[in-house]
Amino acid sequence: MPDVSFDAEQVQSQSVHHKDSDCDAVCIDAARIYDSCGAKDCLRDLPVMFTSEDQEIVENACSCKVCKVSVITSTVNVEPVAFHRGFYSVDMVFYFAVTCEVYTTAASLPTTITGLTTYAKRVVLYGSDGCVKTFSSEESGLNCSSPGEECSCCHKESVPKATVQISDPMALSAKLKCHRSHEYQNRCNHNCNTIPACVTAFFGEPLVNPRNNFIAVTIGIFTITQLIRNVQLLIPSYDYCIPRKECTSRTDDPCEAFSKIEFPTDCFFPPNSDDDSGNQGPHFGKCDCE
């Protein structure tokens, strides 16, 4: 228990007396979203690169199946759009780790291997104009301009910040294809040859190009792209955010922790399909055995 007891009653009494008129106007520095867009992309037949050892397995494979796809990292670059003041292009490159099961013969057990595939995407969003330079006491070093940044509004500080959110990719299908130079190069753009060091370190060994066979996967992703600038906003303020409950110390007794778990009734007595839909809570139709 804490040395000083938490006065929850005092906090509750303060919240009771709050009214809409009992607020002050305060100025905050916040990140404002100037423009955003969402996308649902089906990425068809993306070539997968493997390490030399795993690529040998692919060369002798007769079929394959995709098991899982995860996001390793992404690069995001923002550049002004020529002749469209206030608009910016956001160039993104996603790096995916693809786990596949590869069969060398129809009756053999599969071998699980993991490789890399990439996808490049560009969107154009409105980010407004910002002709200021920003300096902060948190910066460890000096931020000096280069001779080419003497013109107005061309320094990188005036460019808005882009953020990209991506869902867990959905592994849809995988195909084993014969390697043809023009087909592979058309699908594997320059991103296959400019792999960041952290992505190479993820696999532990350099990735190689296929000789005869390669795996092409189809995945689905959902993304949200935003252009953000820091602005000063005037907002109403009621009070400081005082905690509403007291912190409790954790116990190491596993039986005591188990005793606090509710009995999983739905696991033993599944609900009927004609039950009232209004009673569907967040755990409706789910088993709480996790």
Side-chain angles (χ1 to χ4, degrees), residues 5 20 36 40 54 98 106 108 141 166 169 173 203 230-231 237 240 287:
S5 61
D20 292 340
S36 64
K40 175 184 177 182
D54 291 342
V98 181
S108 65
I166 181 171
S173 67
F203 296 95
N230 274 26
V231 295
S237 173
Y240 291 102
C287 181

Side-chain angles (χ1 to χ4, degrees), residues 133 144-152 154-155:
K133 289 186 177 183
C144 298
S145 301
S146 61
E149 294 179 348
E150 295 177 355
C151 60
S152 175
C154 61
H155 38 267

Side-chain angles (χ1 to χ4, degrees), residues 92-203:
M92 301 156 280
V93 180
F94 300 103
Y95 298 87
F96 302 101
V98 181
T99 302
C100 299
E101 289 184 349
V102 179
Y103 297 82
T104 55
T105 62
S108 65
L109 294 175
T111 302
T112 303
I113 58 177
T114 301
L116 170 72
T117 189
T118 63
Y119 173 68
K121 180 182 179 68
R122 168 178 286 188
V123 298
V124 177
L125 296 173
Y126 178 76
S128 188
D129 290 328
C131 297
V132 297
K133 289 186 177 183
T134 303
F135 302 93
S136 173
S137 60
E138 296 179 351
E139 296 178 356
S140 57
L142 292 177
N143 186 9
C144 298
S145 301
S146 61
E149 294 179 348
E150 295 177 355
C151 60
S152 175
C153 299
C154 61
H155 38 267
K156 64 180 181 180
E157 287 85 357
S158 65
V159 177
K161 182 179 70 173
T163 62
V164 180
Q165 303 175 49
I166 181 171
S167 64
D168 290 334
M170 299 178 61
L172 301 178
S173 67
K175 300 177 183 178
L176 187 65
K177 293 190 173 185
C178 295
H179 176 227
R180 300 184 184 94
S181 298
H182 67 278
E183 179 183 2
Y184 181 81
Q185 293 301 330
N186 288 341
R187 297 187 182 276
C188 183
N189 52 28
H190 71 280
N191 297 314
C192 295
N193 300 321
T194 57
I195 301 174
C198 65
V199 177
T200 304
F202 179 88
F203 296 95

Side-chain angles (χ1 to χ4, degrees), residues 15-275:
S15 61
V16 170
H17 293 88
H18 279 319
K19 299 179 181 179
D20 292 340
S21 58
D22 298 338
C23 64
D24 298 326
V26 297
C27 184
I28 65 170
D29 185 78
R32 176 186 172 183
I33 301 174
Y34 274 80
D35 199 2
S36 64
C37 64
K40 175 184 177 182
D41 296 315
C42 182
L43 314 180
R44 189 184 301 273
D45 293 342
L46 298 179
V48 185
M49 300 177 64
F50 296 95
T51 61
S52 58
E53 182 179 353
D54 291 342
Q55 183 59 37
E56 286 297 327
I57 300 175
V58 177
E59 297 290 348
N60 301 317
C62 65
S63 64
C64 64
K65 180 180 70 174
V66 61
C67 300
K68 183 180 66 173
V69 181
S70 60
V71 182
I72 301 176
T73 188
S74 175
T75 59
V76 183
N77 295 315
V78 182
E79 294 291 340
V81 176
F83 309 111
H84 289 77
R85 184 173 180 179
F87 286 85
Y88 300 84
S89 64
V90 183
D91 295 299
M92 301 156 280
V93 180
F94 300 103
Y95 298 87
F96 302 101
V98 181
T99 302
C100 299
E101 289 184 349
V102 179
Y103 297 82
T104 55
T105 62
S108 65
L109 294 175
T111 302
T112 303
I113 58 177
T114 301
L116 170 72
T117 189
T118 63
Y119 173 68
K121 180 182 179 68
R122 168 178 286 188
V123 298
V124 177
L125 296 173
Y126 178 76
S128 188
D129 290 328
C131 297
V132 297
K133 289 186 177 183
T134 303
F135 302 93
S136 173
S137 60
E138 296 179 351
E139 296 178 356
S140 57
L142 292 177
N143 186 9
C144 298
S145 301
S146 61
E149 294 179 348
E150 295 177 355
C151 60
S152 175
C153 299
C154 61
H155 38 267
K156 64 180 181 180
E157 287 85 357
S158 65
V159 177
K161 182 179 70 173
T163 62
V164 180
Q165 303 175 49
I166 181 171
S167 64
D168 290 334
M170 299 178 61
L172 301 178
S173 67
K175 300 177 183 178
L176 187 65
K177 293 190 173 185
C178 295
H179 176 227
R180 300 184 184 94
S181 298
H182 67 278
E183 179 183 2
Y184 181 81
Q185 293 301 330
N186 288 341
R187 297 187 182 276
C188 183
N189 52 28
H190 71 280
N191 297 314
C192 295
N193 300 321
T194 57
I195 301 174
C198 65
V199 177
T200 304
F202 179 88
F203 296 95
E205 297 180 15
L207 303 174
V208 298
N209 290 320
R211 296 192 309 272
N212 299 316
N213 296 336
F214 72 94
I215 294 177
V217 296
T218 299
I219 63 179
I221 60 172
F222 298 89
T223 57
I224 294 179
T225 309
Q226 302 171 334
L227 280 186
I228 299 174
R229 286 187 183 274
N230 274 26
V231 295
Q232 289 73 45
L233 297 177
L234 193 66
I235 64 171
S237 173
Y238 294 95
D239 204 345
Y240 291 102
C241 299
I242 303 175
R244 301 290 180 180
K245 62 181 180 180
E246 183 178 0
C247 297
T248 57
S249 58
R250 296 182 57 184
T251 176
D252 294 331
D253 187 354
C255 291
E256 183 177 349
F258 179 75
S259 66
K260 297 179 181 179
I261 301 177
E262 296 183 0
F263 190 87
T265 306
D266 290 344
C267 291
F268 296 90
F269 305 97
N272 298 324
S273 59
D274 56 351
D275 284 348

